[in-house]
Amino acid sequence: MSKIPEHLIEKINSIPTQSGIYKMLDSNGRIIYVGKSISLKNRVRSYFADNPKWAKVEKMVSFIDDIEYIVTDTHLEAVLLECFLIKKIKPMFNSQLKNDEKYVYLKIEDFNIYNPLSIVNSREDNCYGPFRRKFSLIELINSFKNIYPITKADKGYDFEYNLMPIPMDRRIFEENKESLQEIFSDDKKMILLINRLEGKMKEAAAQLQFATASVYRDMIYGLNYLKTGIYGYKTMFLKDILLKMPITNGYKLFFVSKGEILLKSVFSTLTEDDIQDFINIGKDLKSSISGNLNEKSSMDYRDILYSEIKSLPDEMVIYL
């Protein structure tokens, strides 16, 4: 760290090893980057290594004139706070989380001979999402054109790969549309289609039709992306969740309902009565959920919360 200005060395050495968020500031006091870590000191120190892994980091370090940080009780709170600050400040060196207005929806279209599926920027009828990766949706839409029409079969759905898209008349289009609506509205139906694609992929590969097999492979990847985005959070919305997380001075409880943290509190000691009282207060707060949150912005918070909950040991997560 010999090349770092003395005042930054002192600042880095004073940063604690606890979880939290850090802000990198330039000489004008502007926040140019926000990050989070389970160990603030180690994470911040890593940016000033002699051979940074990323060119972006090397460039950013040349702008850093000051470092600020906020300690949090848990890593969950650090990640959520990082998301909030990135959306609010939009630092120049942060690339994710700050452009949620660009998230898109997948729409099942009304009759037309060319495009049964499309991408739209706001929620409409027969829409699913939002999704971050617009390019992934474009690729899936284009590959789907080669297997229309998708028809219902005894054990799911059937289709054939066509080198060129087949134009559909209104009757066939409506049958295909009904299949798409079922597939995108029921995770079990989507799994049936994925299973059929996997079977077709294996058949194509066995017949040395590797280009066709690769199309099926990419469609499976795209559908799994959709499945996670549409259905991956069902358990977090069906039941209220109590998180019981140990912290330095005791425990911190979180009451989660419909993908939002409604209540959190620290306890130096924790009894069953404390837990039940906390749950009762959380349930009373459920009526305060407005439902008016920006859907695209709240998706990032939902994803963070879901990911963090999935990473916690079972004893810390109680489905009520």
Side-chain angles (χ1 to χ4, degrees):
M1 299 175 65
S2 58
K3 298 179 182 178
I4 305 174
E6 187 66 29
H7 72 285
L8 278 185
I9 295 177
E10 293 177 3
K11 178 61 68 76
I12 293 168
N13 289 335
S14 70
I15 295 175
T17 56
Q18 296 162 270
S19 63
I21 65 97
Y22 55 91
K23 295 180 270 187
M24 305 299 197
L25 289 74
D26 66 11
S27 58
N28 294 313
R30 293 175 299 194
I31 299 171
I32 59 174
Y33 186 79
V34 174
K36 53 78 178 59
S37 179
I38 197 168
S39 175
L40 286 169
K41 181 188 286 288
N42 293 340
R43 184 69 181 113
V44 171
R45 187 187 293 270
S46 71
Y47 285 94
F48 300 91
D50 292 335
N51 298 301
K53 187 175 180 180
W54 307 107
K56 173 184 172 181
V57 171
E58 185 174 10
K59 181 179 180 181
M60 182 181 74
V61 167
S62 66
F63 285 92
I64 297 173
D65 186 67
D66 197 7
I67 303 168
E68 297 177 351
Y69 62 89
I70 299 173
V71 173
T72 59
D73 289 325
T74 63
H75 185 257
L76 169 62
E77 292 167 291
V79 185
L80 290 171
L81 179 57
E82 177 199 40
C83 180
F84 171 77
L85 292 173
I86 290 173
K87 289 183 182 299
K88 179 181 179 181
I89 302 167
K90 302 187 186 301
M92 63 181 293
F93 283 101
N94 284 98
S95 57
Q96 297 182 342
L97 301 175
K98 66 181 181 181
N99 294 315
D100 51 58
E101 69 276 1
K102 294 183 179 180
Y103 298 168
V104 295
Y105 298 83
L106 180 68
K107 180 180 181 181
I108 299 176
E109 288 286 357
D110 293 326
F111 174 67
N112 66 85
I113 63 173
Y114 297 112
N115 298 308
L117 293 172
S118 67
I119 292 173
V120 293
N121 292 319
S122 57
R123 182 169 289 283
E124 302 175 12
D125 292 338
N126 277 325
C127 269
Y128 303 87
F131 299 97
R132 292 186 187 86
R133 289 158 30 191
K134 181 177 180 179
F135 181 73
S136 294
L137 295 188
I138 292 173
E139 286 192 322
L140 183 63
I141 288 172
N142 288 336
S143 61
F144 256 59
K145 292 178 182 178
N146 293 93
I147 66 167
Y148 292 139
I150 301 172
T151 57
K152 297 179 186 180
D154 291 339
K155 295 183 179 180
Y157 300 92
D158 205 1
F159 51 83
E160 295 296 334
Y161 177 75
N162 309 297
L163 189 60
M164 297 296 293
I166 295 176
M168 294 180 283
D169 61 26
R170 180 177 287 275
R171 180 186 64 82
I172 295 176
F173 183 94
E174 293 299 333
E175 291 177 358
N176 185 77
K177 178 181 177 181
E178 186 176 343
S179 295
L180 291 175
Q181 288 173 323
E182 285 186 357
I183 291 164
F184 294 147
S185 300
D186 186 332
D187 57 339
K188 293 181 176 62
K189 299 292 178 61
M190 186 174 286
I191 290 171
L192 288 176
L193 179 61
I194 291 172
N195 290 341
R196 185 63 175 138
L197 283 164
E198 289 176 343
K200 292 273 193 177
M201 179 181 68
K202 292 175 182 177
E203 290 174 11
Q207 297 170 12
L208 306 183
Q209 298 173 354
F210 299 118
T212 303
S214 68
V215 172
Y216 289 139
R217 178 203 61 204
D218 293 343
M219 292 183 70
I220 292 167
Y221 177 82
L223 280 172
N224 278 314
Y225 171 63
L226 290 188
K227 184 164 69 72
T228 300
I230 299 173
Y231 306 115
Y233 312 94
K234 288 173 68 174
T235 54
M236 200 166 70
F237 284 89
L238 289 174
K239 295 183 178 181
D240 296 331
I241 301 173
L242 174 71
L243 304 181
K244 186 175 71 172
M245 304 176 70
I247 57 175
T248 304
N249 55 341
Y251 290 90
K252 193 157 193 176
L253 299 185
F254 299 81
F255 185 90
V256 181
S257 184
K258 295 183 178 179
E260 292 185 50
I261 295 176
L262 300 188
L263 180 67
K264 58 183 179 179
S265 186
V266 173
F267 296 82
S268 56
T269 59
L270 194 58
T271 67
E272 290 299 321
D273 287 341
D274 292 331
I275 293 174
Q276 191 56 57
D277 289 343
F278 180 84
I279 291 172
N280 292 338
I281 296 171
K283 288 182 175 180
D284 289 340
L285 290 172
K286 287 171 64 175
S287 60
S288 67
I289 300 178
S290 65
N292 296 322
L293 294 175
N294 180 295
E295 186 176 35
K296 294 182 179 182
S297 178
S298 62
M299 181 182 76
D300 287 324
Y301 295 106
R302 177 204 68 187
D303 288 0
I304 289 168
L305 191 55
Y306 177 80
S307 177
E308 288 293 308
I309 288 174
K310 292 289 286 184
S311 71
L312 292 173
D314 291 343
E315 63 268 21
M316 294 187 192
V317 183
I318 303 169
Y319 290 92
L320 303 176

